[in-house]
C-alpha cells in the first residue's frame, strides 16, 4: 500500500484561509510567552531569572557569561524581566510568524489530516520548548524538498522571488542559536544539507541564499539584542566548551526501555523515509540525513539527562512520523508510526500520563490562556511588572540576606535569593557552580575570583546536584576563596565571605601519583587542608559512547575519619 501525499490536491480558498488562521493561532499561543514565568525560587528558576538579570546589567554572553543560552534566552525560558520583556515578545512573535509561514506553505497541498496531527502535537503535547525549536529546521528542510523535487530544466521567471523566499525563510536559523546555543549544531547541519541538495538540483542561487541568509541574520540579531559584535565569536566558541562537557557531567540514567523503544522507532522511521517511492537517490539521501539529524539531536536532548527531558525525544518522534506522512503513507511508515506511538506512550506514562481528556484540556488551556493574557497585557500594561515585583518582594523576605555595600555573588546556585535581596550582583562567568564542569569553564570562574571584577562579598552554601562530591562544583575556585576571602557571619546555612585586601597564601607541597580504578587512595594526614586533583580521561570507546549516548557514571567511595563511608558521583 502506497499513497503519495505531496504535492496533493488543491484546497478551496476559504479552507486555505481558515487553515492559515488556525496555524497562526496555534503558533502564537505556543511560541509567544504572553503568560511569562515570573521570578521564583529554586535551581532552574534561579538560572532563568539570573540570565535575564545579567543581560539587564549589560553582561555579554560568551564574554561575561558562559551558559547554554544566549541574549534571546527568554524566548525559550519564557522568563519575565522588565528589561528584556519587549525583546522576548518581538523575537518570539517573529519565530511564531516564521513557523506559521513554513507550516502553512508545507500544508498548502491539502493534507488537512496531517496538518491536524501537527497542530495537536504542538498545541497539546509539547511540554518542553526544545521539541518545537528542533522541528523548525526539519520543517524548513521538508519545504525545500517539496519546492525543488525536480531538477531545474528551464529558466524560471520567478527565480528572483524564489531566492528571496528562501532567504526570508532561512533567516530564523540565525536567531535560534542566540536563543539556545545547542541549536547551533542542528541549524548548521540543516543549512549544509539544504544547500547541498539545492546545488545538486541546480538551484545554485537558492543554495547560496540558504547559506547567506542565516549567516547574515546571526550578527544582525546579535546586534539587535544590544550585544557588541566583537563578542559574537566569544559566544559561539564558548558553546563548544559548554556543549562538549555536558554529556559526561550532566548525564542522568533512566528507564532503559524508553531509550530502546526510541531507537527502534527511529530506525523504522528512517527506513520508511529511505523507501519513500518515486524519489531519486539524491532526494532519498537528503531526506534520510535530515530526519537522522533531527532524531539524533532529539535523542541526545531527551536521553543524556533522562528525567523529564525524555519527553523531548518521544514528542520529536511523533513530529518525525507526521513529516514522513507528508512524503508518502506506506506500510513501512505506518509500522514506524505504531512503534513511535508505543515509545511515546511508554515515556509519557512515566512522566505525564496523558489521556484524551488531559490532551483536550491542554489544548483548550493553550488557547484560553493566550487569549485571556493577551487581553490583560493590552488593558493593564504594568500587569507582568506588578506581579514580578510582588514575587521579588516575597523572595526578599524569605532570603533575609543583609544589604551590603559593593558587589556580591552567591555559591553554588539560588541566584534568585541574592537578586531579590537588592544587593549588587557580580556573577562569575558560569554563575551556577554545577555547570562549571570542564577545566576551561572552572578556570574561567577561578580567574574571575582573582581578577579585578571579583565580588567584594560572597554568600556561600555547600550544595550540589546528582549526588556529586560537593567540592567538585567550582573545585579550582575553593583555594582562591579560602585565600582571598574571610568569613564574616552565618545566615541560616549560608556563610558570608568578605574579600581581603591581602591574600593569605598557604604553604604546602605537591606530589603526583598514579592509581587504578578500584584502588584505595589514602590522603596524607595533617592539620592543613588537602587539595586533590584527579586527571581521569576517557579512552576512545568511552568518547564514542559519550558522543552517541552517555557514559556510565563514575563514582567514588570516601572513608571519613570516623570510619563512615559515603559514595559520591564524580
Amino acid at each position: 500500500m502506497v499513497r503519495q501525499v505531496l504535492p496533493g490536491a488543491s484546497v478551496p480558498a476559504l479552507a486555505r484561509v481558515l487553515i492559515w488562521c488556525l496555524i497562526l493561532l496555534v503558533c502564537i499561543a505556543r511560541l509567544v510567552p504572553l503568560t511569562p514565568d515570573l521570578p521564583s525560587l529554586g535551581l532552574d528558576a534561579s538560572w532563568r531569572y539570573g540570565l535575564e538579570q545579567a543581560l539587564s546589567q549589560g553582561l555579554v554572553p560568551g564574554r561575561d557569561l558562559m551558559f547554554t543560552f544566549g541574549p534571546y534566552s527568554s524566548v525559550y525560558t519564557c522568563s519575565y524581566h522588565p528589561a528584556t520583556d519587549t525583546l522576548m515578545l518581538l523575537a518570539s512573535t517573529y519565530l511564531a510568524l516564521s513557523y506559521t509561514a513554513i507550516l502553512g506553505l508545507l500544508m498548502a497541498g491539502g493534507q488537512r489530516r496531517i496538518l491536524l496531527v501537527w497542530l495537536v502535537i504542538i498545541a497539546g503535547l509539547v511540554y518542553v520548548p526544545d521539541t518545537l525549536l528542533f522541528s523548525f529546521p526539519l520543517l524548513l528542510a521538508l519545504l525545500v524538498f517539496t519546492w525543488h523535487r525536480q531538477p531545474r530544466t528551464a529558466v524560471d521567471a520567478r527565480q528572483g522571488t524564489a531566492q528571496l523566499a528562501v532567504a526570508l525563510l532561512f533567516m530564523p536559523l540565525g536567531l535560534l542559536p542566540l536563543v539556545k546555543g545547542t541549536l547551533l549544531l542542528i541549524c548548521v547541519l540543516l543549512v549544509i544539507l539544504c544547500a547541498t541538495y539545492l546545488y545538486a538540483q541546480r538551484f545554485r542561487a537558492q543554495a547560496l541564499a540558504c547559506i547567506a541568509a542565516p549567516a547574515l541574520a546571526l550578527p544582525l540579531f546579535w546586534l539587535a539584542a544590544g550585544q557588541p559584535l566583537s563578542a559574537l565569536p566569544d559566544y559561539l566558541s564558548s558553546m563548544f566548551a559548554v556543549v562538549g562537557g555536558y554529556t559526561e557531567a550532566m548525564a542522568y540514567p533512566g528507564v532503559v526501555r524508553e531509550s530502546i523503544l526510541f531507537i527502534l522507532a527511529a530506525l523504522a522511521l528512517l527506513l520508511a523515509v529511505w523507501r519513500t517511492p518515486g524519489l531519486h537517490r539524491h532526494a532519498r539521501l537528503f531526506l534520510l540525513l535530515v530526519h537522522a539529524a533531527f532524531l539524533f539531536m532529539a535523542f541526545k536532548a531527551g536521553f543524556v539527562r533522562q528525567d523529564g527531558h525524555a519527553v523531548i525525544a518521544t514528542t520529536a518522534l511523533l513530529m518525525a512520523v507526521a513529516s514522513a506522512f507528508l512524503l508518502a503513507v506506506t506500510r513501512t511508515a505506518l509500522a514506524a508510526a505504531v512503534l513511535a506511538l508505543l515509545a511515546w506512550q511508554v515515556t509519557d506514562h512515566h512522566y505525564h500520563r496523558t489521556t484524551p481528556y488531559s490532551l483536550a484540556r491542554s489544548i483548550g488551556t493553550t488557547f484560553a490562556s493566550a487569549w485571556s493574557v493577551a487581553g490583560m497585557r493590552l488593558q493593564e500594561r504594568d500587569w507582568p511588572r506588578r506581579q514580578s515585583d510582588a514575587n521579588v518582594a516575597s523572595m526578599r523576605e524569605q532570603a533575609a540576606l543583609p544589604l551590603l555595600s559593593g558587589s556580591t555573588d552567591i555559591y553554588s546556585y539560588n541566584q534568585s535569593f541574592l537578586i531579590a535581596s537588592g544587593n549588587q550582583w557580580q556573577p562569575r562567568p558560569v554563575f551556577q557552580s554545577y555547570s562549571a564542569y570542564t577545566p576551561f569553564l572552572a578556570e574561567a570562574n577561578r580567574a574571575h575570583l582573582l581578577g579585578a571584577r571579583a565580588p567584594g562579598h560572597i554568600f556561600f552554601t555547600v550544595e550540589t546536584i546528582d549526588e556529586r562530591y560537593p567540592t567538585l562544583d567550582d573545585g579550582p575556585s575553593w583555594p582562591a576563596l579560602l585565600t582571598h576571602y574571610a568569613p564574616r557571619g552565618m545566615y541560616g546555612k549560608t556563610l558570608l565571605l568578605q574579600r581581603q585586601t591581602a591574600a593569605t597564601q598557604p604553604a604546602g607541597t605537591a606530589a603526583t601519583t598514579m592509581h587504578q580504578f578500584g584502588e584505595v587512595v589514602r590522603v596524607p594526614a595533617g592539620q592543613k587542608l588537602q587539595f586533590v586533583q584527579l586527571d581521569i580521561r576517557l579512552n576512545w570507546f568511552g568518547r564514542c559512547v559519550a558522543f552517541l549516548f552517555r557514559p556510565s557514571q563514575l563514582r567514588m567511595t570516601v572513608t571519613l575519619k570516623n570510619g563512615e563511608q559515603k559514595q559520591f558521583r564524580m
Side-chain angles (χ1 to χ4, degrees), residues 379-406:
Q379 295 172 15
E380 304 177 50
R381 304 215 169 177
D382 64 338
W383 165 73
R385 181 63 179 266
R386 286 189 292 104
Q387 290 294 109
S388 175
D389 290 345
N391 281 28
V392 171
S394 175
M395 290 191 296
R396 185 182 302 119
E397 293 180 4
Q398 295 181 59
L401 297 179
L403 191 61
L404 305 171
S405 61

PDB file of all heavy atoms in Angstrom, residues 379-406:
ATOM      1  N   GLN A 379      -4.836  45.685  28.260  1.00  0.00           N
ATOM      2  CA  GLN A 379      -5.600  46.557  29.157  1.00  0.00           C
ATOM      3  C   GLN A 379      -4.761  47.054  30.325  1.00  0.00           C
ATOM      4  O   GLN A 379      -4.901  48.209  30.757  1.00  0.00           O
ATOM      5  CB  GLN A 379      -6.824  45.809  29.685  1.00  0.00           C
ATOM      6  CG  GLN A 379      -7.825  45.454  28.586  1.00  0.00           C
ATOM      7  CD  GLN A 379      -8.936  44.555  29.096  1.00  0.00           C
ATOM      8  OE1 GLN A 379      -9.115  44.414  30.296  1.00  0.00           O
ATOM      9  NE2 GLN A 379      -9.671  43.938  28.183  1.00  0.00           N
ATOM     10  N   GLU A 380      -3.903  46.184  30.864  1.00  0.00           N
ATOM     11  CA  GLU A 380      -3.071  46.550  32.018  1.00  0.00           C
ATOM     12  C   GLU A 380      -1.602  46.348  31.651  1.00  0.00           C
ATOM     13  O   GLU A 380      -1.052  45.280  31.846  1.00  0.00           O
ATOM     14  CB  GLU A 380      -3.422  45.692  33.236  1.00  0.00           C
ATOM     15  CG  GLU A 380      -4.875  45.745  33.636  1.00  0.00           C
ATOM     16  CD  GLU A 380      -5.160  44.817  34.808  1.00  0.00           C
ATOM     17  OE1 GLU A 380      -4.417  44.900  35.799  1.00  0.00           O
ATOM     18  OE2 GLU A 380      -6.088  44.023  34.706  1.00  0.00           O
ATOM     19  N   ARG A 381      -1.002  47.351  31.106  1.00  0.00           N
ATOM     20  CA  ARG A 381       0.348  47.216  30.581  1.00  0.00           C
ATOM     21  C   ARG A 381       1.378  46.957  31.675  1.00  0.00           C
ATOM     22  O   ARG A 381       2.467  46.463  31.393  1.00  0.00           O
ATOM     23  CB  ARG A 381       0.734  48.466  29.795  1.00  0.00           C
ATOM     24  CG  ARG A 381      -0.242  48.762  28.678  1.00  0.00           C
ATOM     25  CD  ARG A 381       0.440  49.332  27.479  1.00  0.00           C
ATOM     26  NE  ARG A 381      -0.453  49.372  26.334  1.00  0.00           N
ATOM     27  CZ  ARG A 381      -0.129  49.867  25.169  1.00  0.00           C
ATOM     28  NH1 ARG A 381       1.085  50.356  24.991  1.00  0.00           N
ATOM     29  NH2 ARG A 381      -0.980  49.865  24.165  1.00  0.00           N
ATOM     30  N   ASP A 382       1.054  47.314  32.915  1.00  0.00           N
ATOM     31  CA  ASP A 382       2.000  47.068  34.001  1.00  0.00           C
ATOM     32  C   ASP A 382       1.704  45.758  34.725  1.00  0.00           C
ATOM     33  O   ASP A 382       2.269  45.497  35.784  1.00  0.00           O
ATOM     34  CB  ASP A 382       1.965  48.223  35.005  1.00  0.00           C
ATOM     35  CG  ASP A 382       0.612  48.341  35.708  1.00  0.00           C
ATOM     36  OD1 ASP A 382      -0.392  47.843  35.151  1.00  0.00           O
ATOM     37  OD2 ASP A 382       0.550  48.923  36.807  1.00  0.00           O
ATOM     38  N   TRP A 383       0.822  44.913  34.137  1.00  0.00           N
ATOM     39  CA  TRP A 383       0.431  43.673  34.825  1.00  0.00           C
ATOM     40  C   TRP A 383       1.611  42.744  35.120  1.00  0.00           C
ATOM     41  O   TRP A 383       1.801  42.339  36.281  1.00  0.00           O
ATOM     42  CB  TRP A 383      -0.625  42.915  34.008  1.00  0.00           C
ATOM     43  CG  TRP A 383      -0.793  41.499  34.454  1.00  0.00           C
ATOM     44  CD1 TRP A 383      -1.392  41.046  35.594  1.00  0.00           C
ATOM     45  CD2 TRP A 383      -0.289  40.332  33.779  1.00  0.00           C
ATOM     46  NE1 TRP A 383      -1.306  39.684  35.670  1.00  0.00           N
ATOM     47  CE2 TRP A 383      -0.636  39.210  34.574  1.00  0.00           C
ATOM     48  CE3 TRP A 383       0.400  40.123  32.592  1.00  0.00           C
ATOM     49  CZ2 TRP A 383      -0.307  37.919  34.193  1.00  0.00           C
ATOM     50  CZ3 TRP A 383       0.731  38.834  32.222  1.00  0.00           C
ATOM     51  CH2 TRP A 383       0.373  37.753  33.030  1.00  0.00           C
ATOM     52  N   PRO A 384       2.461  42.382  34.129  1.00  0.00           N
ATOM     53  CA  PRO A 384       3.568  41.480  34.493  1.00  0.00           C
ATOM     54  C   PRO A 384       4.521  42.120  35.502  1.00  0.00           C
ATOM     55  O   PRO A 384       5.041  41.438  36.377  1.00  0.00           O
ATOM     56  CB  PRO A 384       4.268  41.214  33.150  1.00  0.00           C
ATOM     57  CG  PRO A 384       3.315  41.648  32.109  1.00  0.00           C
ATOM     58  CD  PRO A 384       2.507  42.745  32.710  1.00  0.00           C
ATOM     59  N   ARG A 385       4.726  43.438  35.371  1.00  0.00           N
ATOM     60  CA  ARG A 385       5.668  44.125  36.265  1.00  0.00           C
ATOM     61  C   ARG A 385       5.164  44.081  37.707  1.00  0.00           C
ATOM     62  O   ARG A 385       5.936  43.838  38.641  1.00  0.00           O
ATOM     63  CB  ARG A 385       5.840  45.581  35.800  1.00  0.00           C
ATOM     64  CG  ARG A 385       6.823  46.406  36.643  1.00  0.00           C
ATOM     65  CD  ARG A 385       8.227  45.825  36.546  1.00  0.00           C
ATOM     66  NE  ARG A 385       9.205  46.591  37.301  1.00  0.00           N
ATOM     67  CZ  ARG A 385       9.951  47.559  36.791  1.00  0.00           C
ATOM     68  NH1 ARG A 385       9.823  47.905  35.514  1.00  0.00           N
ATOM     69  NH2 ARG A 385      10.828  48.190  37.536  1.00  0.00           N
ATOM     70  N   ARG A 386       3.879  44.313  37.910  1.00  0.00           N
ATOM     71  CA  ARG A 386       3.330  44.285  39.271  1.00  0.00           C
ATOM     72  C   ARG A 386       3.466  42.901  39.886  1.00  0.00           C
ATOM     73  O   ARG A 386       3.869  42.761  41.042  1.00  0.00           O
ATOM     74  CB  ARG A 386       1.862  44.709  39.253  1.00  0.00           C
ATOM     75  CG  ARG A 386       1.639  46.201  39.043  1.00  0.00           C
ATOM     76  CD  ARG A 386       0.185  46.588  39.244  1.00  0.00           C
ATOM     77  NE  ARG A 386      -0.683  46.049  38.205  1.00  0.00           N
ATOM     78  CZ  ARG A 386      -1.488  45.006  38.367  1.00  0.00           C
ATOM     79  NH1 ARG A 386      -1.527  44.369  39.527  1.00  0.00           N
ATOM     80  NH2 ARG A 386      -2.252  44.596  37.374  1.00  0.00           N
ATOM     81  N   GLN A 387       3.144  41.882  39.120  1.00  0.00           N
ATOM     82  CA  GLN A 387       3.248  40.516  39.625  1.00  0.00           C
ATOM     83  C   GLN A 387       4.696  40.148  39.910  1.00  0.00           C
ATOM     84  O   GLN A 387       5.011  39.493  40.910  1.00  0.00           O
ATOM     85  CB  GLN A 387       2.652  39.536  38.618  1.00  0.00           C
ATOM     86  CG  GLN A 387       1.135  39.612  38.486  1.00  0.00           C
ATOM     87  CD  GLN A 387       0.450  39.164  39.766  1.00  0.00           C
ATOM     88  OE1 GLN A 387      -0.133  39.984  40.487  1.00  0.00           O
ATOM     89  NE2 GLN A 387       0.526  37.890  40.079  1.00  0.00           N
ATOM     90  N   SER A 388       5.595  40.568  39.015  1.00  0.00           N
ATOM     91  CA  SER A 388       7.015  40.275  39.209  1.00  0.00           C
ATOM     92  C   SER A 388       7.541  40.958  40.464  1.00  0.00           C
ATOM     93  O   SER A 388       8.261  40.338  41.271  1.00  0.00           O
ATOM     94  CB  SER A 388       7.804  40.742  37.984  1.00  0.00           C
ATOM     95  OG  SER A 388       9.184  40.576  38.183  1.00  0.00           O
ATOM     96  N   ASP A 389       7.192  42.214  40.668  1.00  0.00           N
ATOM     97  CA  ASP A 389       7.642  42.940  41.858  1.00  0.00           C
ATOM     98  C   ASP A 389       7.120  42.284  43.136  1.00  0.00           C
ATOM     99  O   ASP A 389       7.844  42.221  44.148  1.00  0.00           O
ATOM    100  CB  ASP A 389       7.179  44.393  41.798  1.00  0.00           C
ATOM    101  CG  ASP A 389       7.913  45.192  40.717  1.00  0.00           C
ATOM    102  OD1 ASP A 389       8.955  44.697  40.236  1.00  0.00           O
ATOM    103  OD2 ASP A 389       7.439  46.280  40.363  1.00  0.00           O
ATOM    104  N   ALA A 390       5.900  41.774  43.084  1.00  0.00           N
ATOM    105  CA  ALA A 390       5.338  41.104  44.261  1.00  0.00           C
ATOM    106  C   ALA A 390       6.113  39.814  44.565  1.00  0.00           C
ATOM    107  O   ALA A 390       6.393  39.511  45.738  1.00  0.00           O
ATOM    108  CB  ALA A 390       3.861  40.798  44.034  1.00  0.00           C
ATOM    109  N   ASN A 391       6.461  39.062  43.524  1.00  0.00           N
ATOM    110  CA  ASN A 391       7.234  37.839  43.732  1.00  0.00           C
ATOM    111  C   ASN A 391       8.627  38.150  44.293  1.00  0.00           C
ATOM    112  O   ASN A 391       9.126  37.459  45.180  1.00  0.00           O
ATOM    113  CB  ASN A 391       7.380  37.078  42.410  1.00  0.00           C
ATOM    114  CG  ASN A 391       6.141  36.297  42.038  1.00  0.00           C
ATOM    115  OD1 ASN A 391       5.039  36.676  42.417  1.00  0.00           O
ATOM    116  ND2 ASN A 391       6.298  35.230  41.275  1.00  0.00           N
ATOM    117  N   VAL A 392       9.245  39.192  43.771  1.00  0.00           N
ATOM    118  CA  VAL A 392      10.579  39.566  44.247  1.00  0.00           C
ATOM    119  C   VAL A 392      10.533  39.993  45.713  1.00  0.00           C
ATOM    120  O   VAL A 392      11.402  39.635  46.511  1.00  0.00           O
ATOM    121  CB  VAL A 392      11.160  40.686  43.361  1.00  0.00           C
ATOM    122  CG1 VAL A 392      12.439  41.245  43.975  1.00  0.00           C
ATOM    123  CG2 VAL A 392      11.441  40.156  41.959  1.00  0.00           C
ATOM    124  N   ALA A 393       9.502  40.750  46.080  1.00  0.00           N
ATOM    125  CA  ALA A 393       9.364  41.176  47.476  1.00  0.00           C
ATOM    126  C   ALA A 393       9.191  39.979  48.397  1.00  0.00           C
ATOM    127  O   ALA A 393       9.756  39.935  49.503  1.00  0.00           O
ATOM    128  CB  ALA A 393       8.178  42.127  47.606  1.00  0.00           C
ATOM    129  N   SER A 394       8.414  38.988  47.960  1.00  0.00           N
ATOM    130  CA  SER A 394       8.221  37.776  48.761  1.00  0.00           C
ATOM    131  C   SER A 394       9.523  37.009  48.920  1.00  0.00           C
ATOM    132  O   SER A 394       9.845  36.528  50.014  1.00  0.00           O
ATOM    133  CB  SER A 394       7.153  36.886  48.110  1.00  0.00           C
ATOM    134  OG  SER A 394       7.021  35.666  48.792  1.00  0.00           O
ATOM    135  N   MET A 395      10.305  36.905  47.834  1.00  0.00           N
ATOM    136  CA  MET A 395      11.581  36.201  47.911  1.00  0.00           C
ATOM    137  C   MET A 395      12.556  36.942  48.820  1.00  0.00           C
ATOM    138  O   MET A 395      13.359  36.324  49.523  1.00  0.00           O
ATOM    139  CB  MET A 395      12.180  36.030  46.516  1.00  0.00           C
ATOM    140  CG  MET A 395      11.435  35.044  45.635  1.00  0.00           C
ATOM    141  SD  MET A 395      12.339  34.639  44.120  1.00  0.00           S
ATOM    142  CE  MET A 395      12.372  36.223  43.279  1.00  0.00           C
ATOM    143  N   ARG A 396      12.506  38.269  48.799  1.00  0.00           N
ATOM    144  CA  ARG A 396      13.400  39.061  49.651  1.00  0.00           C
ATOM    145  C   ARG A 396      13.157  38.747  51.120  1.00  0.00           C
ATOM    146  O   ARG A 396      14.101  38.614  51.904  1.00  0.00           O
ATOM    147  CB  ARG A 396      13.191  40.550  49.372  1.00  0.00           C
ATOM    148  CG  ARG A 396      14.162  41.461  50.131  1.00  0.00           C
ATOM    149  CD  ARG A 396      13.873  42.928  49.842  1.00  0.00           C
ATOM    150  NE  ARG A 396      13.970  43.203  48.422  1.00  0.00           N
ATOM    151  CZ  ARG A 396      12.968  43.651  47.672  1.00  0.00           C
ATOM    152  NH1 ARG A 396      11.785  43.885  48.220  1.00  0.00           N
ATOM    153  NH2 ARG A 396      13.135  43.886  46.396  1.00  0.00           N
ATOM    154  N   GLU A 397      11.893  38.595  51.492  1.00  0.00           N
ATOM    155  CA  GLU A 397      11.566  38.267  52.886  1.00  0.00           C
ATOM    156  C   GLU A 397      12.057  36.877  53.253  1.00  0.00           C
ATOM    157  O   GLU A 397      12.562  36.649  54.351  1.00  0.00           O
ATOM    158  CB  GLU A 397      10.063  38.381  53.103  1.00  0.00           C
ATOM    159  CG  GLU A 397       9.523  39.810  52.998  1.00  0.00           C
ATOM    160  CD  GLU A 397       8.025  39.867  53.233  1.00  0.00           C
ATOM    161  OE1 GLU A 397       7.448  38.792  53.547  1.00  0.00           O
ATOM    162  OE2 GLU A 397       7.434  40.949  53.101  1.00  0.00           O
ATOM    163  N   GLN A 398      11.899  35.923  52.325  1.00  0.00           N
ATOM    164  CA  GLN A 398      12.334  34.558  52.607  1.00  0.00           C
ATOM    165  C   GLN A 398      13.862  34.463  52.697  1.00  0.00           C
ATOM    166  O   GLN A 398      14.396  33.718  53.522  1.00  0.00           O
ATOM    167  CB  GLN A 398      11.835  33.615  51.511  1.00  0.00           C
ATOM    168  CG  GLN A 398      10.322  33.478  51.446  1.00  0.00           C
ATOM    169  CD  GLN A 398       9.891  32.518  50.348  1.00  0.00           C
ATOM    170  OE1 GLN A 398      10.267  31.355  50.351  1.00  0.00           O
ATOM    171  NE2 GLN A 398       9.116  33.021  49.402  1.00  0.00           N
ATOM    172  N   ALA A 399      14.556  35.209  51.843  1.00  0.00           N
ATOM    173  CA  ALA A 399      16.018  35.125  51.826  1.00  0.00           C
ATOM    174  C   ALA A 399      16.628  35.698  53.094  1.00  0.00           C
ATOM    175  O   ALA A 399      17.570  35.122  53.664  1.00  0.00           O
ATOM    176  CB  ALA A 399      16.567  35.862  50.609  1.00  0.00           C
ATOM    177  N   ALA A 400      16.113  36.839  53.548  1.00  0.00           N
ATOM    178  CA  ALA A 400      16.616  37.508  54.756  1.00  0.00           C
ATOM    179  C   ALA A 400      18.122  37.713  54.708  1.00  0.00           C
ATOM    180  O   ALA A 400      18.831  37.526  55.700  1.00  0.00           O
ATOM    181  CB  ALA A 400      16.219  36.698  56.001  1.00  0.00           C
ATOM    182  N   LEU A 401      18.630  38.095  53.527  1.00  0.00           N
ATOM    183  CA  LEU A 401      20.051  38.386  53.386  1.00  0.00           C
ATOM    184  C   LEU A 401      20.295  39.866  53.644  1.00  0.00           C
ATOM    185  O   LEU A 401      19.478  40.716  53.279  1.00  0.00           O
ATOM    186  CB  LEU A 401      20.535  38.022  51.973  1.00  0.00           C
ATOM    187  CG  LEU A 401      20.461  36.554  51.573  1.00  0.00           C
ATOM    188  CD1 LEU A 401      20.946  36.365  50.141  1.00  0.00           C
ATOM    189  CD2 LEU A 401      21.246  35.665  52.519  1.00  0.00           C
ATOM    190  N   PRO A 402      21.416  40.219  54.260  1.00  0.00           N
ATOM    191  CA  PRO A 402      21.692  41.637  54.544  1.00  0.00           C
ATOM    192  C   PRO A 402      22.006  42.398  53.263  1.00  0.00           C
ATOM    193  O   PRO A 402      22.526  41.838  52.295  1.00  0.00           O
ATOM    194  CB  PRO A 402      22.908  41.566  55.471  1.00  0.00           C
ATOM    195  CG  PRO A 402      23.603  40.303  55.076  1.00  0.00           C
ATOM    196  CD  PRO A 402      22.507  39.336  54.728  1.00  0.00           C
ATOM    197  N   LEU A 403      21.708  43.672  53.260  1.00  0.00           N
ATOM    198  CA  LEU A 403      22.028  44.536  52.137  1.00  0.00           C
ATOM    199  C   LEU A 403      23.441  45.080  52.347  1.00  0.00           C
ATOM    200  O   LEU A 403      23.702  45.788  53.322  1.00  0.00           O
ATOM    201  CB  LEU A 403      21.019  45.680  52.036  1.00  0.00           C
ATOM    202  CG  LEU A 403      21.071  46.521  50.752  1.00  0.00           C
ATOM    203  CD1 LEU A 403      20.791  45.654  49.531  1.00  0.00           C
ATOM    204  CD2 LEU A 403      20.054  47.660  50.825  1.00  0.00           C
ATOM    205  N   LEU A 404      24.350  44.741  51.456  1.00  0.00           N
ATOM    206  CA  LEU A 404      25.765  45.057  51.616  1.00  0.00           C
ATOM    207  C   LEU A 404      26.198  46.123  50.616  1.00  0.00           C
ATOM    208  O   LEU A 404      25.613  46.252  49.539  1.00  0.00           O
ATOM    209  CB  LEU A 404      26.610  43.795  51.419  1.00  0.00           C
ATOM    210  CG  LEU A 404      26.261  42.599  52.301  1.00  0.00           C
ATOM    211  CD1 LEU A 404      27.014  41.371  51.843  1.00  0.00           C
ATOM    212  CD2 LEU A 404      26.578  42.899  53.762  1.00  0.00           C
ATOM    213  N   SER A 405      27.218  46.845  50.964  1.00  0.00           N
ATOM    214  CA  SER A 405      27.797  47.810  50.033  1.00  0.00           C
ATOM    215  C   SER A 405      28.787  47.084  49.131  1.00  0.00           C
ATOM    216  O   SER A 405      29.483  46.167  49.562  1.00  0.00           O
ATOM    217  CB  SER A 405      28.503  48.933  50.792  1.00  0.00           C
ATOM    218  OG  SER A 405      29.562  48.398  51.571  1.00  0.00           O
ATOM    219  N   GLY A 406      28.842  47.483  47.866  1.00  0.00           N
ATOM    220  CA  GLY A 406      29.746  46.826  46.935  1.00  0.00           C
ATOM    221  C   GLY A 406      29.090  45.646  46.249  1.00  0.00           C
ATOM    222  O   GLY A 406      27.898  45.366  46.413  1.00  0.00           O
TER     223      GLY A 406
END
